[in-house]
Amino acid sequence: MRESMSMKIAVIDYGMGNLRSVTHALEHVAPEATIQLSSDPAVIAAADKIVFPGQGAMRDCMRELLARDLRPAVLAAAASKPFLGICVGAQLLFELSEEGGNTPALGLFPGQVRRFEAERMVAADGSRLKVPHMGWNEVWQTRPHPLWQGIADGSRFYFVHSYYMDTPDAALPVGRSDYPFPFTVAVARANIFATQFHPEKSHAAGLQLLKNFVAWDGTVQPAQ
């Protein structure tokens, strides 16, 4: 892995996402790296690591990604570099979303993005749970990964979403939460790690995850 002084981290800007918060959090954990917020495919191709955030409606995100001709750059980066997807940036890695009437996504991972079903949103005490799922929730690590290093199992992360990732591939999930049923909140394969929660808004645990991403070489063996 390159030394952080020469490392370039590209945050993909397609007009959808909490881009400044992500950029500032990365600058905080990697002050010697070059953090580039960019919609330029050449900048993305030249970066050592990629962060793919997203916020808002899946259909709008996909439309903006295609309008800016960024799909090829995202797919190339996801195939070759340490790659972190955040929120809708994680959901976009799947085949389609129920949002907007089965919106096609990038199709890197098998599965769909599903809306929290109203009939299932009942807490143990019988009270109704709100959608979107918004606020702090525990994240349980379902298998080891270098990005979990130094983060206690059950640490709380910040969420804002009405849809969740659902995959038939049992090897993909690396983290789950409960609201009120268990659902996948982090997935990983090869050089890709993606979270439904917002690490840039998750205080110490989130900053540790971003710090781990900066140090990660894209391999799947757990750090010692």
Side-chain angles (χ1 to χ4, degrees):
M1 186 184 71
R2 298 186 184 187
E3 296 295 327
S4 60
M5 185 174 294
S6 61
M7 182 186 300
K8 295 179 181 179
I9 303 175
V11 179
I12 299 178
D13 179 6
Y14 57 106
M16 305 293 295
N18 192 13
L19 303 176
R20 294 299 174 188
S21 292
V22 174
T23 301
H24 291 161
L26 287 166
E27 290 171 346
H28 178 75
V29 301
E32 295 182 334
T34 300
I35 313 301
Q36 301 168 295
L37 176 60
S38 182
S39 59
D40 184 345
V43 171
I44 295 167
D48 301 298
K49 299 175 187 286
I50 301 297
V51 178
F52 185 41
Q55 195 166 293
M58 170 76 85
R59 176 170 286 181
D60 294 340
C61 290
M62 199 65 201
R63 183 186 64 242
E64 291 300 316
L65 196 68
L66 296 174
R68 297 165 193 245
D69 198 26
L70 284 171
R71 180 184 178 122
V74 172
L75 294 177
S80 61
K81 307 172 188 287
F83 186 102
L84 177 63
I86 298 174
C87 195
V88 178
Q91 295 179 356
L92 282 165
L93 302 178
F94 287 84
E95 294 171 301
L96 58 88
S97 172
E98 290 182 347
E99 186 176 9
N102 291 337
T103 300
L106 294 173
L108 289 173
F109 292 157
Q112 299 185 18
V113 177
R114 303 188 185 279
R115 183 172 175 83
F116 283 110
E117 301 93 334
E119 63 273 13
R120 300 181 71 183
M121 306 312 295
V122 181
D125 63 3
S127 61
R128 299 293 300 180
L129 296 174
K130 294 180 179 180
V131 177
H133 171 219
M134 183 167 59
W136 296 86
N137 202 349
E138 293 87 357
V139 170
W140 305 100
Q141 301 166 21
T142 56
R143 65 178 171 90
H145 192 279
L147 267 65
W148 291 138
Q149 185 176 13
I151 300 173
D153 196 18
S155 292
R156 293 167 67 84
F157 288 84
Y158 189 79
F159 291 81
V160 183
H161 65 122
S162 300
Y163 295 78
Y164 64 94
M165 302 175 287
D166 183 22
T167 177
D169 186 348
L172 272 178
V174 294
R176 70 161 179 85
S177 284
D178 299 283
Y179 191 74
F181 56 88
F183 68 98
T184 295
V185 299
V187 293
R189 186 177 69 191
N191 58 297
I192 301 173
F193 191 96
T195 69
Q196 181 60 66
F197 55 82
H198 288 269
E200 77 281 5
K201 296 181 180 180
S202 297
H203 298 174
L207 291 176
Q208 182 63 49
L209 189 145
L210 293 176
K211 183 178 179 180
N212 292 342
F213 175 70
V214 172
W216 185 39
D217 64 4
T219 61
V220 297
Q221 292 300 316
Q224 299 299 316

